[in-house]
């Protein structure tokens, strides 16, 4: 490179941009862009590629292993995969409204407190800091274990009930109680904080105006003022809840798996794919096909949801 | 079906990070490389002679790690670096075998058919051939594919039924000899505080696997190369396991699972299905107040059964020092019988894979241990090599539905038979290719 190149107006200087902005842009953005590409986009594309091959124990299948759409038809015809999608729909249909209602109720109650509001806010928020794995282990081993000295069984024992094997009973499906309570405990506090922030943004004048107009405190005010004013918060909360439900893995895996695998119930898609692709079978082709199907479902669901809520639309 | 003697082999604690899994199956592509980067592969620089890395899963018994390091140090023709790997060992090796930085010699709960067919492990026939007949044939058989030997059995593990003599006596129950007697005994022994039988927290679907079928005189894969349990006797035997569950005779949701004798020792259950490895702990806690049984026979064609299995020592096909690795595997697992005996019996409690060693070991000549050795020889069944993970999952899911949901055993088994036969077709097609 000659001195002429670096002079103002030379090709290098042009590439660097005014005040070397281009250089600094890449210095700051580059590492993240590389990381994103290497750890997200390359695997994504590779996964798509693998999904067309019979890739047992290999990530570099040869042409002989090409099976076309075979993995997709196998996965869509696989009762276990379809039932895992059903599990997931059921779980989402329950956990999203349940968390929504619980965290909103907590927020309304904490918001009305005059004394020790910060204390209760912190207390309800604390579980958010706990890891899913740790909470699942506590739920499994201490609270909902199946023997007589488990917390739940001890309490029931005072009333003369028999011990229940919470995680092993499918009729009735007590395992859902364990799975849902652990997630409620973990995440309700976080969404409560979001709702609290939303509640504090509502102008007091609205309530005053309502009182002047004769609205009764309680349900009427909530129905016509508080709830509509929380719309933006509600949309964010529901979106986050659904995304979190899509990602359900930790508590399921830690509550129900054992050294011999995973029972055929309460098995969400990620757990099922985890065993298919990364289990001893190492059926990476089939697992990738499942992952692509799941990704498509999530994409469609997200788009529909965004349309439904009018996400990103300007508020009138 | 070799049980992991570490007990906590793949316990609740080692769930993978959510993000890692969320990266989707595509992350697998990099997973192998990441495993390799994130860990010391055991190949440092320096030293004399070729360097070999050898992997073991984490055994729970104290002293085992020091022992295998001692064996490695005693080998003079190469520098052997031992890696002791806690966590989900099967998954770690599966990922590492996809890369160049995996182990040279490693123990494996297999090797699996797909690993052999995929050319991930090398042929060890020449190494084992001279002493082939001295190995326990039940555990050697699953290491053989197309007349070649792909892994050297290290030790034999088996599972068996422990029962508390005093509790059976108090209940007026004789040690059960048939599956019906087991169902009755478990019912009789169940009280408000103690359950009759512990088959694992999932009700037995995981650990029992093919054992009830063996006890009914059937097999997982028949001599004709098709599913070996397409028979009314299979549905009948599995229906009796459901009976145990429906009677509420089974202990469920215990803090430890079947592989750990804690539930049995603490008196939560009168009988427990567990591994031979638990025997020293049971003996220490209960003295003579216990006995062992094979899984009781069922029906007229039935025979008692115990599942046996062996971790095998295999050599990675991606090793850069295959000859040295093979020589080391032969030296340790074929030639050094003193080390093999020490490994099997000085720390945990396993039966040596070599018949000559098992016969002469004095720890195995008395009491329950002697019974166990007899069961292994007379009633031992190993899972065949052709019984792939997909088969196991389908069967285990069906068994779980039969036991817990009361699903019809016949219809459930029909579905499994179909799936197993299709899977057998797949692997056969692959072996021709």
């Amino acid at each position: 490179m000659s001195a002429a190149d670096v002079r103002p107006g030379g090709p290098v200087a042009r590439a660097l941009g005014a005040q070397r902005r281009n250089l600094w842009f890449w210095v700051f953005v580059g590492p993240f862009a590389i990381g994103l590409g290497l750890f997200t986009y390359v695997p994504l594309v590779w996964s798509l590629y693998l999904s067309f091959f019979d890739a047992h124990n290999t990530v570099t299948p040869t042409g002989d292993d090409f099976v076309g759409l075979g993995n997709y038809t196998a996965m869509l015809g696989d009762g276990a995969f379809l039932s895992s999608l059903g599990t997931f729909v059921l779980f989402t249909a329950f956990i999203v409204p349940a968390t929504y209602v619980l965290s909103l109720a907590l927020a309304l109650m904490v918001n009305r407190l005059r004394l020790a509001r910060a204390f209760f806010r912190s207390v309800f928020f604390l579980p958010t800091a706990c890891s899913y794995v740790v909470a699942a282990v506590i739920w499994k081993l201490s609270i909902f274990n199946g023997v007589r000295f488990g917390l739940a069984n001890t309490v029931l024992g005072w009333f003369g009930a028999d011990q229940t094997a919470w995680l092993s009973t499918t009729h009735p499906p007590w395992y859902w109680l364990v799975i849902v309570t652990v997630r409620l405990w973990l995440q309700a506090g976080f969404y409560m904080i979001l709702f609290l922030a939303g509640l504090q943004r509502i102008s007091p004048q609205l309530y005053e105006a309502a009182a002047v107009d004769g609205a009764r405190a309680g349900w009427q005010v909530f129905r016509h003022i508080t709830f509509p004013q929380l719309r933006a918060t509600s949309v964010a909360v529901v979106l986050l809840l659904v995304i979190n439900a899509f990602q359900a893995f930790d508590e399921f895996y830690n509550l129900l798996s054992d050294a011999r695998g995973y029972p055929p119930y309460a098995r969400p898609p990620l757990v099922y794919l985890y065993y298919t692709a990364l289990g001893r079978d190492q059926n990476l082709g089939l697992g990738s096909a499942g992952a692509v199907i799941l990704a498509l479902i999530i994409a469609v669901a997200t788009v529909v949801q965004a349309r439904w809520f009018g996400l990103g639309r300007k508020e009138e | 079906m070799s049980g992991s003697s570490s007990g906590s082999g793949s316990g609740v604690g080692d769930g993978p990070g959510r993000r890692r899994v969320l990266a989707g199956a595509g992350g697998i592509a990099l997973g192998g490389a990441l495993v390799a980067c994130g860990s010391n592969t055991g190949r440092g620089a320096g030293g004399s002679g070729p360097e070999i890395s050898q992997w073991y899963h984490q055994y729970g018994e104290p002293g085992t790690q020091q022992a295998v390091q001692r064996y490695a140090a005693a080998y003079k023709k190469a520098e052997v670096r031992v890696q002791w790997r806690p966590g989900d060992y099967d998954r770690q090796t599966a990922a590492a075998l996809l890369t160049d930085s995996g182990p040279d010699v490693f123990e494996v709960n297999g090797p699996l058919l797909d690993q052999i067919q995929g050319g991930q492990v090398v042929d060890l026939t020449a190494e084992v051939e001279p002493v082939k007949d001295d190995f326990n044939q039940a555990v050697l058989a699953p290491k053989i594919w197309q007349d070649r030997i792909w892994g050297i059995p290290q030790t034999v593990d088996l599972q068996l039924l422990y029962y508390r003599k005093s509790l059976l006596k108090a209940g007026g129950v004789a040690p059960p000899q048939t599956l019906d007697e087991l169902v009755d005994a478990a019912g009789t022994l169940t009280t408000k505080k103690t359950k009759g039988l512990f088959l694992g927290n999932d009700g037995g679907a995981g650990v029992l696997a093919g054992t009830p079928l063996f006890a009914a005189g059937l097999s997982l894969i028949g001599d004709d190369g098709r599913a070996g349990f397409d028979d009314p006797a299979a549905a009948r035997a599995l229906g009796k396991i459901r009976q145990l569950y429906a009677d509420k005779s089974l202990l469920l949701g215990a803090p430890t699972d079947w592989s750990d004798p804690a539930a049995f020792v603490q008196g939560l259950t009168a009988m427990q299905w567990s591994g031979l490895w638990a025997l020293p702990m049971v003996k220490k806690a209960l003295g003579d107040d216990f006995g062992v049984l094979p899984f009781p026979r069922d029906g007229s064609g039935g025979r008692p059964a115990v599942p046996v299995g062996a971790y095998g020592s295999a050599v990675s096909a991606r090793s850069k020092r295959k000859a040295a690795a093979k020589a080391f595997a032969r030296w340790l697992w074929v030639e050094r019988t003193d080390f093999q005996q020490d490994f099997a019996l000085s720390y945990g409690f396993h039966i040596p894979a070599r018949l000559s060693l098992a016969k002469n070991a004095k720890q195995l000549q008395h009491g329950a241990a002697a019974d166990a050795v007899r069961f292994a020889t007379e009633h031992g069944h190993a899972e065949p090599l052709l019984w792939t993970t997909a088969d196991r999952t389908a069967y285990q899911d069906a068994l779980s539905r039969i036991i817990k949901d009361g699903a019809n055993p016949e219809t459930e088994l029909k579905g499994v038979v179909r799936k197993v036969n299709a899977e057998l077709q797949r692997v056969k097609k692959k072996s021709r290719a």
Side-chain angles (χ1 to χ4, degrees):
Chain A
M1 166 189 334
S2 73
D5 292 337
V6 206
R7 270 202 326 261
V12 173
R14 259 203 311 278
L16 291 176
Q19 294 177 330
R20 307 202 160 183
R21 273 200 194 132
N22 290 348
L23 174 74
W24 291 116
F25 174 80
W26 285 111
V27 165
F28 286 113
V29 174
F32 298 102
I34 291 171
L36 190 70
L38 197 61
F39 294 109
T40 304
Y41 293 118
V42 171
L44 260 176
V45 173
W46 203 323
S47 177
L48 190 65
Y49 167 78
L50 279 179
S51 69
F52 297 109
F53 290 87
D54 176 13
H56 274 81
N57 291 305
T58 177
V59 289
T60 50
T62 57
D64 297 341
D65 298 327
F66 186 76
V67 292
L69 292 174
N71 284 327
Y72 287 91
T73 50
M75 215 59 196
L76 289 172
D78 178 0
F81 181 67
L82 298 180
S83 100
S84 80
L85 292 176
T87 296
F88 156 70
V89 169
L90 189 69
F91 178 65
T92 310
F94 190 83
I95 196 74
V96 172
T99 317
Y100 182 90
V101 170
L102 181 68
S103 49
L104 180 57
L106 281 177
L108 288 170
M109 286 191 284
V110 170
N111 200 37
R112 285 180 68 98
L113 284 178
R114 303 205 181 279
L115 257 175
R117 185 198 284 185
F119 171 77
F120 282 103
R121 204 171 48 199
S122 311
V123 163
F124 289 130
F125 182 69
L126 261 181
T128 307
C130 181
S131 112
Y132 271 76
V133 177
V134 172
V137 170
I138 293 172
W139 250 246
K140 176 180 184 166
L141 296 183
S142 310
I143 303 181
F144 287 109
N145 72 26
V147 292
R148 58 178 186 266
F149 47 74
L151 182 61
N153 280 331
T154 306
V155 172
L156 287 177
W158 295 337
F159 303 102
D162 272 342
Q163 63 197 48
T164 304
W166 301 98
L167 286 165
S168 310
T169 309
T170 52
H171 289 290
W174 285 122
Y175 54 87
W176 278 123
L177 178 74
V178 185
I179 292 166
V180 165
T181 50
V182 71
R183 186 166 270 243
L184 274 180
W185 183 74
L186 279 167
Q187 66 179 15
F190 176 74
Y191 295 102
M192 176 200 74
I193 294 288
L194 297 189
F195 277 124
L196 271 177
L199 286 173
Q200 283 161 10
R201 269 186 49 204
I202 302 176
S203 157
Q205 286 159 357
L206 284 172
Y207 291 106
E208 286 160 15
V212 169
D213 284 347
R216 276 179 313 249
W219 174 248
Q220 215 172 23
V221 167
F222 174 79
R223 165 76 184 76
H224 293 288
I225 297 184
T226 313
F227 191 68
Q229 286 290 314
L230 282 176
R231 187 170 180 278
T233 314
S234 293
V235 168
V237 166
V238 170
L239 271 180
L240 287 173
L241 279 173
V242 171
I243 289 171
N244 271 345
F246 276 135
Q247 299 177 348
F249 180 88
D250 305 31
E251 75 267 44
F252 284 89
Y253 184 82
N254 285 291
L255 283 170
L256 287 164
S257 75
D258 59 36
R260 291 305 173 115
Y262 197 93
Y265 52 85
R267 182 164 55 186
L270 279 182
V271 172
Y272 183 67
L273 293 177
Y274 176 69
Y275 276 98
T276 305
L278 296 172
R280 299 194 71 207
D281 212 16
Q282 293 277 310
N283 195 342
L284 304 180
L286 200 59
S288 298
V292 171
I293 295 172
L294 190 62
L296 285 177
I297 294 174
I298 293 175
V300 169
T302 311
V303 168
V304 167
Q305 210 181 359
R307 278 281 160 86
W308 180 280
F309 284 128
L311 194 70
R313 217 161 40 206
K314 276 230 165 80
E315 285 192 39
E316 294 98 59
Chain B
M1 146 176 26
S2 138
S4 152
S5 59
S6 62
S8 62
S10 132
V12 289
D14 38 56
R18 179 160 40 154
R19 274 162 197 251
R20 217 81 161 258
V21 174
L22 276 178
I28 298 154
L30 288 157
L34 288 177
V35 166
C37 301
S39 60
N40 174 10
T41 58
R43 290 187 193 131
S48 61
E51 286 185 8
I52 302 173
S53 79
Q54 185 190 21
W55 285 19
Y56 288 93
H57 84 281
Q58 182 184 32
Y59 285 77
E61 303 86 4
T64 316
Q65 185 178 8
Q66 289 71 23
V68 298
Q69 279 162 349
R70 206 171 61 240
Y71 310 152
Y75 188 60
K76 297 297 170 215
K77 290 183 189 147
E79 197 172 322
V80 180
R81 301 278 176 92
V82 170
Q83 271 199 56
W84 192 252
R85 301 193 70 98
D88 193 335
Y89 182 79
D90 291 338
R91 226 162 258 157
Q92 291 174 18
T93 43
L97 287 179
L98 298 175
T99 72
D100 283 331
S101 37
D104 298 306
V105 182
F106 63 105
E107 66 169 13
V108 57
N109 194 356
L112 305 175
L113 183 59
D114 280 317
Q115 292 175 329
I116 297 172
Q117 288 184 331
Q120 294 192 309
V121 290
V122 305
D123 182 355
L124 296 174
T125 314
E127 278 65 32
V128 181
E129 195 69 51
V131 291
K132 194 177 158 200
D133 296 333
D134 190 36
F135 278 97
N136 179 318
Q137 295 302 305
V139 299
L140 184 62
K143 315 284 182 215
I144 299 176
W145 170 245
Q146 294 184 332
D147 298 326
R148 315 301 295 170
I149 299 171
W150 303 91
I152 313 174
Q154 294 180 172
T155 58
V156 180
D157 274 316
L158 76 146
Q159 295 157 19
L160 65 182
L161 186 66
Y162 290 82
Y163 66 93
R164 191 87 169 254
K165 282 180 180 165
S166 57
L167 288 177
L168 265 66
K169 204 167 168 194
V173 176
Q177 302 299 321
T178 66
L179 189 49
D180 290 315
E181 286 178 25
L182 181 69
V183 174
D184 292 343
T188 313
L189 293 168
T190 297
T191 64
K192 190 98 183 144
K193 294 207 150 174
T194 307
K195 290 287 188 181
L197 177 62
F198 185 37
L199 295 175
N201 284 326
D202 60 359
V207 65
L208 287 184
T211 308
L213 301 179
F214 301 140
L218 304 168
S219 59
L220 291 172
I221 293 171
D223 298 330
D224 57 353
R226 295 176 66 78
F229 48 94
D230 194 0
D231 190 301
R236 201 184 54 218
L238 299 186
K240 288 174 188 169
I241 315 288
R242 158 69 186 172
Q243 190 62 42
L244 282 165
Y245 181 89
D247 290 349
K248 296 191 185 294
S249 312
L250 291 182
L251 175 65
L252 298 163
T256 52
D257 214 348
W258 62 272
S259 59
D260 190 315
F264 180 63
V265 168
Q266 291 167 4
L268 292 174
T269 177
M271 299 183 279
Q272 179 177 337
W273 185 257
S274 190
L276 180 64
W277 55 84
L279 201 134
M281 287 171 271
V282 173
K283 203 175 165 85
K284 198 169 151 202
L286 300 179
D288 287 332
D289 184 20
F290 80 100
V292 292
L293 287 170
F295 193 88
R297 68 175 191 274
D298 183 51
S300 51
R303 283 170 49 73
V306 290
V308 295
Y311 264 83
S313 193
V315 173
S316 165
R318 294 187 80 141
S319 162
K320 293 193 182 69
R321 305 161 190 80
K322 271 192 267 249
K326 278 160 87 170
F328 171 68
R330 182 177 64 206
W331 174 81
L332 181 56
W333 295 112
V334 175
E335 290 167 9
R336 290 303 296 260
T337 47
D338 52 338
F339 285 163
Q340 290 159 32
Q341 173 142 3
D342 180 64
F343 182 74
L345 290 160
S346 301
Y347 315 99
F349 200 72
H350 317 271
I351 301 176
R354 304 283 285 273
L355 297 174
S356 54
L357 294 179
K359 209 163 64 191
N360 297 328
K362 62 177 188 305
Q363 294 97 318
L364 298 174
Q365 282 168 358
H366 302 288
D371 288 341
V373 175
R374 189 166 49 81
F375 299 157
T377 324
E378 292 174 13
H379 308 308
H381 293 269
E383 281 190 358
L385 184 61
L386 287 169
W387 187 249
T388 62
T389 315
D391 294 335
R392 189 175 300 119
T393 308
Y395 174 79
Q396 194 170 315
D397 285 1
L399 187 50
S400 173
R401 283 190 290 263
I402 294 169
I403 294 176
K404 291 189 185 171
D405 302 347
N408 183 333
E410 278 165 34
T411 42
E412 286 289 335
L413 280 174
K414 266 203 192 93
V416 182
V417 165
R418 235 188 348 262
K419 193 147 192 173
V420 168
N421 285 336
E423 177 78 356
L424 284 166
Q425 285 302 320
R426 177 183 77 84
V427 295
K428 268 182 212 152
K429 204 169 84 192
K430 199 158 178 184
S431 58
R432 272 202 301 274

